[in-house]
Amino acid sequence: MREQLTAVEAGPIRVLMAKAGLDGHDRGVKVVARALRDAGMEVVYTGLHRTPQEIVATAIQEDVDVVGISLLSGAHMTLFPQVIDLLKEAGVFERFILIGGGVMPDEDVDALLAMGVAAILGQDTPPDDAAVLVRGLVAKRGARV
Amino acid sequence: MSTTDERLADLLDRAVERDMAATSQLISALEGRRVGSGAVLEALHRAGGNAHVVGVTGAPGSGKSTLVSVLARELRDRGLTVAIVAVDPSSAISGGAILGDRIRMQDHALDPGIFVRSMSSRGSLGGVSAATVDAVGVLDAAGWDVVVVETVGVGQAEVEIMRIAQTVVVVSVPGLGDDVQAIKAGLMEIADLHVVNKADRPDAGKTVAELLSMLTLAGPPGPGGWPVPVLSTSAADSSGVPKLADTLAEHRAWMAGSGEGERRERAMAAARIHSIAKDLVLARLADPSATPLVERVVAAVAARRLDPHAAARALVDNEPITDLQLEKSA
Ligand SMILES: Nc1nc2c(ncn2[C@@H]2O[C@H](COP(=O)(O)OP(=O)(O)OP(=O)(O)O)[C@@H](O)[C@H]2O)c(=O)[nH]1
Ligand SMILES: [Mg+2]
């Protein structure tokens, strides 16, 4: 029998974009979302103030390739570990590429990368670069079964 | 069994236990790849046929997602589980999409009895792509009681939604004369029930009356027929939503009792076979082993030694063509 369900016809890259934390600004996230769409990706946008639990449940149901979490409120060192723990608890940590967005000191960036976050985008990252980065990370991961 | 088949079989086993991750991964595995390997697709199809598949369509911004979210809460209160497939249009240029229906459904993110999957229409006209049909198939097989498919209504194209829904709900809003015109164009004949949403706004009564008079023009249902109701809801304060849930259940019972359900199942089966067969043929032509012949035939048609009908029959039905027709300038 032919193996047609492997990587023959991978669909568009799917990205969840979640805005965590208390601040009410999602302009930056929306700009990035549009850049990803224009690069041919499907972007699931969930709105403001998402909790780690909601982000993980949504990532699982949408089965996205990439989970992008943006937060400006400085809570990244509590939020990302929580998300990672919840993904691990659900046994799906390996399935997702985690990307963070926001402003944070270099040592925090290093710590997050060490925890398994694939990349951190600073606030001044051009949106098109974000699309290139996402595409590169997904290509590096290869096809998921 | 191949490893892919084994993995899919395992996902299906877990999906029927309402494992969200397995359900969702199974949808991904099937997405856009209908020409799949046999055993699992067979098991999937056999397991299905139990869900009430409800299509919700209507103009952009008419409140479909908000209404679906409130309806999901009502159905949960009635002890039912609800899976939602929310389809948004994809960009014609990039093929990408921003899928925002979930913003209105976030209240349910942590409810194990509600599953939400967003997808883009992937270029298909009525927003119902092969991927949508497959996703509904997975959710049905996995045992979700009600599967709601939300698509944006843009005229004639919603007829596509009939392919998967047992009950089609057409959502409109008050105060849009054009909206009723649009409904007239393509949606009148596919609506099993009309909902005028945003009934908290003025003029809702007028829109209801307009729809009712259009339905009257279409004539009464035959004996034992389904009189298409016009309901009004406000997704903002949930009013009218219990009545909507009641009516959905009534329509389902009518479908089962009247034979219309069976008729539609057959129509849907035929449509699915048709589109899969089309894909199969196209895949066969795209197969590398077919390429040399395809190229020669294409050259022969371009040089007018062979007509395109004979060429297609040669490729699909293996109808013989003479070497003379094929070779000359090759
Ligand atoms: N006043 C009022 N506003 C509503 C009602 N239902 C939805 N809305 C608002 O209408 C807007 C659009 O709602 P959605 O649920 O996103 O509409 P939709 O039809 O799903 O939109 P698309 O998926 O983009 O086509 C939102 O601002 C809602 O808050 C209602 O019953 N009353
Ligand atoms: Mg919507």
Side-chain angles (χ1 to χ4, degrees):
Chain A
M1 185 174 295
R2 277 194 287 170
E3 285 263 312
Q4 267 152 333
L5 289 168
T6 44
V8 186
E9 198 190 315
I13 293 172
R14 286 168 57 84
V15 182
L16 169 65
M17 300 213 31
K19 187 81 179 69
L22 299 176
D23 67 284
H25 305 285
D26 61 355
R27 238 195 58 195
V29 177
K30 284 180 173 164
V31 170
V32 175
R34 278 195 290 271
L36 298 182
R37 175 199 59 194
D38 294 341
M41 302 178 196
E42 288 185 358
V43 183
V44 180
Y45 182 57
T46 57
L48 293 164
H49 315 309
R50 300 281 72 100
T51 66
Q53 287 78 7
E54 288 169 346
I55 292 169
V56 169
T58 304
I60 289 173
Q61 291 174 34
E62 298 288 354
D63 197 35
V64 286
D65 299 282
V66 176
V67 179
I69 307 172
S70 155
L71 78 169
L72 296 177
S73 43
H76 46 270
M77 292 312 283
T78 51
L79 182 108
F80 278 98
Q82 267 183 292
V83 168
I84 290 169
D85 285 347
L86 289 165
L87 287 171
K88 285 184 174 161
E89 263 170 48
V92 292
F93 177 64
E94 308 295 331
R95 200 166 169 83
F96 301 106
I97 297 166
L98 260 184
I99 298 182
V103 194
M104 58 190 84
D106 287 349
E107 64 260 33
D108 288 0
V109 172
D110 292 341
L112 292 175
L113 295 179
M115 274 175 217
V117 177
I120 300 287
L121 295 181
Q123 256 201 318
D124 42 8
T125 308
D128 291 340
D129 290 8
V132 172
L133 175 89
V134 166
R135 197 171 287 290
L137 288 170
V138 172
K140 201 175 95 191
R141 179 204 63 191
R144 258 181 349 179
V145 190
Chain B
M1 258 201 184
S2 69
T3 43
T4 311
D5 280 352
E6 269 166 34
R7 155 132 174 96
L8 293 179
D10 171 57
L11 287 177
L12 181 57
D13 285 346
R14 285 161 48 207
V16 298
E17 303 292 326
R18 199 93 56 59
D19 176 330
M20 292 236 193
T23 305
S24 155
Q25 290 172 25
L26 191 55
I27 292 173
S28 306
L30 296 180
E31 238 168 3
R33 283 157 245 175
R34 283 182 298 172
V35 197
S37 87
V40 178
L41 295 183
E42 189 186 322
L44 197 64
H45 189 67
R46 280 235 190 98
N50 304 309
H52 183 191
V53 183
V54 177
V56 176
T57 193
S62 51
K64 299 178 294 295
S65 300
T66 316
L67 182 63
V68 166
S69 184
V70 177
L71 175 65
R73 167 62 39 232
E74 175 70 25
L75 295 172
R76 290 292 290 136
D77 290 345
R78 296 178 183 207
L80 299 167
T81 58
V82 184
I84 298 162
V85 181
V87 186
D88 272 323
S90 50
S91 147
I93 299 159
S94 70
I98 294 180
L99 311 174
D101 293 320
R102 241 190 198 276
I103 298 173
R104 317 271 173 224
M105 303 177 184
Q106 261 331 109
D107 290 355
H108 305 308
L110 301 180
D111 181 345
I114 294 184
F115 179 95
V116 182
R117 179 73 168 224
S118 317
M119 53 177 66
S120 81
S121 55
R122 308 239 166 120
S124 82
L125 261 181
V128 179
S129 63
T132 316
V133 179
D134 284 338
V136 170
V138 169
L139 295 164
D140 180 7
W144 293 83
D145 296 321
V146 181
V147 179
V148 182
V149 182
E150 174 190 340
T151 65
V152 177
V154 278
Q156 295 282 2
E158 294 85 353
V159 177
E160 283 272 301
I161 205 173
M162 288 287 284
R163 253 174 53 195
I164 40 176
Q166 290 148 1
T167 305
V168 177
V169 179
V170 173
V171 180
S172 42
V173 290
L176 285 177
D178 290 352
D179 192 46
V180 173
Q181 291 306 317
I183 287 170
K184 213 187 259 176
L187 297 185
M188 238 26 216
E189 64 265 40
I190 66 159
D192 295 305
L193 80 106
H194 285 279
V195 168
V196 177
N197 189 41
K198 308 198 186 183
D200 48 297
R201 288 221 210 128
D203 286 344
K206 200 172 144 228
T207 307
V208 170
E210 275 171 343
L211 284 168
L212 281 171
S213 86
M214 275 161 58
L215 287 165
T216 315
L217 277 178
W226 171 258
V228 176
V230 180
L231 309 179
S232 48
T233 59
S234 167
D237 65 10
S238 303
S239 66
V241 174
K243 173 82 179 146
L244 171 59
D246 291 344
T247 312
L248 290 173
E250 280 162 26
H251 183 256
R252 189 180 198 207
W254 173 79
M255 291 275 282
S258 68
E260 174 65 13
E262 201 179 320
R263 200 196 59 75
R264 282 198 203 177
E265 282 298 335
R266 278 167 183 262
M268 281 188 263
R272 286 198 71 184
I273 295 170
H274 190 109
S275 83
I276 293 168
K278 213 160 72 184
D279 285 359
L280 266 175
V281 171
L282 293 177
R284 227 162 74 194
L285 297 187
D287 196 276
S289 69
T291 320
L293 179 62
V294 173
E295 280 173 4
R296 286 162 71 203
V297 163
V298 166
V301 172
R304 302 201 177 257
R305 291 190 305 276
L306 187 68
D307 76 87
H309 294 269
R313 288 198 304 271
L315 291 173
V316 176
D317 290 341
N318 294 319
E319 184 178 287
I321 31 180
T322 66
D323 285 349
L324 194 67
Q325 285 170 311
L326 265 186
E327 300 307 338
K328 226 171 212 160
S329 68

